[in-house]
Amino acid sequence: MQRETGNSSTPVWPARSDPRLVAHTSLPGNLLAPAAARRFVRDAVDGWTGLGLLSGGSCADRLADDAAVVVSELVTNAVVHAGTAAELLCRFEESTHEEPAALVVEVSDHHPASAVTGGPHSADESGTADYGRGLQLVASLAERWGITFHAALKTVWARLPLDGRDIRPPAAAYSAPLAPRGAHGMETSAPGRGRDDLEWVSRGAPAFLAEASDLLAGQLDEDMVAALAGQLLVPRLADRCAIWLDGGAQGHGRGTGKGRARLVGVWHCDEARVGPLREALGEEPPLLPLTSDGGPVPVAWPHGTRGGPPAPPHGGPAAQDTPGRRGTAGAPHLPRPPAVTGAHEPAGPLPAEAEPATALAYRLGVGGHRLGVLLVAQNGPAGVPAEVAALIEDFARRVALAVSAARRYTRQATISRVLQRGLLPSRVGQIPGVDTFLVYEPSDDGVAGGDFYDVFPAGSGGRWCFMLGDVQGSGPEAAVVTGLARPWLRLLAREGYEVGQVLDRLNGLLLDDAMEAAEAAALIVTGGHGPGLPDGQHARFLSLLYGQVVPSPSGDGGARCTLASAGHPLPLLLRPDGTVRALAEPQVLLGVVDDVAYQSHTFDLEPGDTLLCVTDGVTERRSGPRMFDDEDGLAAVLSGCAGLTAQGVAERIRAAVHAFAPTPPGDDLALLVLQAGRPAG
């Protein structure tokens, strides 16, 4: 998507052979980047002044000041809002017979899905924001500016003339789009508006659709899909665009697929007219024939601003409105003529939101499920070329597929969150005299199951129990085992069983009942048609660290601790002097072997001692071929935590795990810290 505030169709990135005319730098993704960008652009202007390309004095100073403001705004957007490092390019463009000399700045970030911010964003009553309405400061200083989306980059550019400030205000109409770049950065020309040059449709359409597919497919939020769709269409293929999504009376329409349609976004090549256009459109989409198959349906733009049905295209009969609904129904889908002509308002002076336009509506749907309506328009009464209408139809199919995928993901993530809340305790207990802190970070795959934890009182005698477990695998089968194990552990502990006995009985219960439950879950996943689990293969097994703590009755801050590990990473004990040692002995996983007698280990948790319990999401965190706990890496980090609180220890370990590799953790991460309190005084 590109947007400009000038009336020139000349691209702002012509190739330059003289390296002295281009300055480029990489900026870190932190708050120091804007200041570095300002210094860099001032140095570039000083360098060009020294070469004689710029006259010194107030002209160069004014240009340097304006450029510093612009790059500061753009780099701030990149590192703060997009959250990535940034690339800054400054280019001096010498004057030609078509263009005056100018300074062009380009700021690229590595998050092409992020919206551009920096100015006021409007929102409707539901809280849905209009994306891409910011950068008013940049628009006021630049002759023209725009955004270019690539598969792996988003570039915001601005063109600043060298002298004079006779610039159109931000509200000026964008009369001609810049030539968009293709999926790999190559330049392609946009389809001509008001002329018969349709060669672009055959040359540039495949690259446009490929790039659009890449951008849309990576979105997991339907509103962001709609926002990108509008930015890709305007002003490349249309002067105006609006998108409604069905469903969404509750929760902004995420994943419901039911309820009233809502207007997600409105785009206009003149951003000052977006607000009036939204008011003119209202919240209801145009009515489309029930037989509409996603092809273009001519409608009035904006629908409902004048009484009566639209003039039928090509003299055909107009479709009738449905009683009780506002809006104007379009004619039934027609075979594509040389130009698909939409109904438009009568000639004559009209307000900006009701100016003559050719409008086409496309139903968004997948597999017979209606998802919404896409409405596009071009200024003036001329017909939309059939080739362009067909290209928008192909684009609309990709939008519908992306919206459908985003809704499926949202439904899955919602189900997973609800299930996860049911599997895990709402809060962990606080053991008297023992400082307790938990860190739990589920993986980003949106699948329930995996790690589980609990800290709870276990009846009389001041006993407290804690657990940290990890079910093999993930998904519904793992969730079944998690849903069985935690309540069983609580029940067995409150019945008075010792640590080793609790693990013995849980092992037997898993072998008896979890097999059947997990097989049932496997059949549910396969729709009742799968073979279940192979003969002799256990459904799910789990690793578990389970223990009980009895605070010292003397109140000196110490505690008596008994624990056992079943296939789980061994806990580590940190002494106040910084020494670290592993506790307990490794034993077989639960749910694998029958007739196992699990052994426990008892020790005193002295005042100031810290017990660290983790899952394999910590110890097996990978960076290339290495794991975090290779060569006792976890113990080395823990030894440097002497003197920290339980929370301080947990946060230090968590930060070390995240910093171990450049990519986010791919597994659930859970760690529990128990620290015996120090006696008063």
Side-chain angles (χ1 to χ4, degrees):
M1 189 279 294
Q2 296 169 358
R3 183 174 288 125
E4 64 171 12
T5 58
N7 60 359
S8 172
S9 60
T10 304
V12 300
W13 43 75
R16 296 289 182 182
S17 57
D18 191 344
R20 299 177 302 169
L21 303 181
V22 179
H24 175 270
T25 187
S26 297
L27 300 169
N30 57 43
L31 296 180
L32 299 177
R38 292 192 293 270
R39 291 193 299 269
F40 179 81
V41 74
R42 289 186 183 277
D43 290 342
V45 172
D46 290 344
W48 291 326
T49 303
L51 292 174
L53 299 174
L54 291 172
S55 59
S58 60
C59 174
D61 292 341
R62 188 168 62 250
L63 178 65
D65 290 342
D66 289 351
V69 171
V70 169
V71 299
S72 182
E73 181 79 3
L74 298 183
V75 171
T76 300
N77 269 282
V79 301
V80 174
H81 302 294
T84 73
E87 304 293 328
L88 171 60
L89 183 145
C90 301
R91 182 174 59 254
F92 177 79
E93 292 192 350
E94 299 174 285
S95 61
T96 66
H97 67 283
E98 296 178 349
E99 294 273 10
L103 169 63
V104 176
V105 296
E106 297 183 10
V107 176
S108 302
D109 64 61
H110 301 274
H111 196 296
S114 59
V116 176
T117 60
H121 288 249
S122 62
D124 58 21
E125 294 180 355
S126 67
T128 303
D130 260 346
Y131 293 93
R133 299 282 318 281
L135 294 181
Q136 298 296 327
L137 183 61
V138 175
S140 65
L141 294 175
E143 180 187 40
R144 59 179 182 264
W145 66 278
I147 309 167
T148 303
F149 286 101
H150 304 276
L153 286 176
K154 182 186 82 224
T155 299
V156 185
W157 54 264
R159 188 177 194 275
L160 289 78
L162 261 60
D163 52 8
R165 283 297 177 264
D166 184 15
I167 304 172
R168 296 173 181 263
Y174 313 134
S175 60
L178 293 180
R181 296 183 179 182
H184 302 288
M186 76 286 288
E187 296 178 11
T188 57
S189 59
R193 305 261 250 280
R195 67 180 191 266
D196 294 329
D197 180 14
L198 298 176
E199 183 182 358
W200 180 89
V201 175
S202 59
R203 291 192 301 107
F208 169 75
L209 291 175
E211 184 177 1
S213 297
D214 287 342
L215 290 172
L216 296 174
Q219 304 308 314
L220 301 178
D221 182 277
E222 62 182 72
D223 285 0
M224 184 57 74
V225 171
L228 279 175
Q231 293 170 356
L232 287 167
L233 284 173
V234 177
R236 266 185 186 173
L237 300 178
D239 296 307
R240 321 176 203 177
C241 170
I243 297 178
W244 290 262
L245 292 180
D246 292 343
Q250 303 294 330
H252 303 303
R254 288 170 170 80
T256 61
K258 299 179 180 179
R260 294 182 56 188
R262 62 190 178 92
L263 182 60
V264 179
V266 176
W267 297 265
H268 198 295
C269 59
D270 180 352
E271 291 197 6
R273 301 187 182 184
V274 170
L277 182 58
R278 175 182 283 275
E279 294 180 5
L281 288 171
E283 292 300 320
E284 294 290 336
L287 294 177
L288 300 180
L290 296 177
T291 57
S292 174
D293 59 356
V297 177
V299 298
W301 180 283
H303 67 284
T305 55
R306 294 182 182 271
H314 306 293
Q320 299 299 316
D321 289 347
T322 300
R325 291 280 306 274
R326 68 188 295 270
T328 304
H333 178 50
L334 302 173
R336 295 192 185 96
V340 181
T341 306
H344 54 273
E345 299 293 341
L350 292 173
E353 67 272 14
E355 65 189 30
T358 296
L360 297 175
Y362 298 81
R363 187 183 300 284
L364 302 176
V366 175
H369 298 283
R370 299 178 183 177
L371 303 177
V373 173
L374 167 66
L375 189 63
V376 297
Q378 291 185 3
N379 295 333
V384 178
E387 292 84 349
V388 176
L391 176 59
I392 297 177
E393 181 178 346
D394 287 341
F395 176 77
R397 292 194 189 98
R398 287 160 171 78
V399 173
L401 289 171
V403 169
S404 178
R407 289 188 171 182
R408 288 196 302 272
Y409 172 83
T410 301
R411 283 194 294 269
Q412 175 64 40
T414 301
I415 293 171
S416 181
R417 284 194 299 269
V418 172
L419 182 57
Q420 199 78 41
R421 284 197 296 267
L423 296 174
L424 299 176
S426 58
R427 63 183 180 86
V428 296
Q430 293 297 320
I431 305 173
V434 178
D435 189 10
T436 305
F437 195 82
L438 172 84
V439 170
Y440 174 66
E441 294 180 357
S443 63
D444 293 332
D445 58 8
V447 179
D451 295 0
F452 64 94
Y453 55 85
D454 205 353
V455 179
F456 59 93
S460 61
R463 292 189 308 123
W464 284 75
C465 295
F466 64 91
M467 68 180 79
L468 194 61
D470 185 5
V471 178
Q472 181 263 333
S474 61
E477 300 145 80
V480 168
V481 179
T482 302
L484 294 172
R486 195 172 67 86
W488 279 343
L489 283 167
R490 276 182 167 251
L491 178 62
L492 292 169
R494 288 170 178 168
E495 287 294 322
Y497 290 102
E498 296 298 328
V499 172
Q501 296 172 327
V502 169
L503 267 61
D504 291 341
R505 283 158 175 76
L506 178 60
N507 184 58
L509 289 168
L510 287 171
L511 289 170
D512 291 341
D513 294 344
M515 179 69 174
E516 180 180 351
E519 282 181 338
L523 290 175
I524 292 173
V525 172
T526 59
H529 303 292
L533 298 170
D535 292 340
Q537 178 179 329
H538 292 290
R540 291 290 167 184
F541 49 84
L542 63 89
S543 69
L544 178 68
L545 180 65
Y546 174 76
Q548 71 177 28
V549 176
V550 179
S552 174
S554 64
D556 63 357
R560 189 75 168 172
C561 184
T562 301
L563 54 79
S565 173
H568 202 82
L570 297 180
L572 299 178
L573 180 66
L574 170 67
R575 296 292 188 185
D577 61 1
T579 59
V580 176
R581 67 184 180 94
L583 298 174
E585 295 293 333
Q587 299 178 84
V588 68
L589 291 161
L590 293 166
V592 177
V593 181
D594 202 356
D595 298 328
V596 177
Y598 287 92
Q599 303 298 317
S600 61
H601 175 73
T602 300
F603 63 98
D604 289 326
L605 199 62
E606 302 289 347
D609 285 353
T610 300
L611 181 67
L612 173 65
C613 312
V614 302
T615 60
D616 60 8
V618 174
T619 57
E620 297 180 5
R621 165 84 155 130
R622 286 192 170 274
S623 177
R626 297 178 58 245
M627 291 195 296
F628 182 74
D629 199 33
D630 285 349
E631 300 177 354
D632 296 325
L634 178 59
V637 176
L638 181 61
S639 66
C641 298
L644 298 180
T645 63
Q647 179 177 353
V649 172
E651 293 294 349
R652 177 76 63 84
I653 300 298
R654 186 198 67 82
V657 172
H658 278 271
F660 184 69
T663 57
D667 193 7
D668 293 353
L669 185 153
L671 57 94
L672 177 66
V673 178
L674 305 177
Q675 187 176 77
R678 294 175 173 83

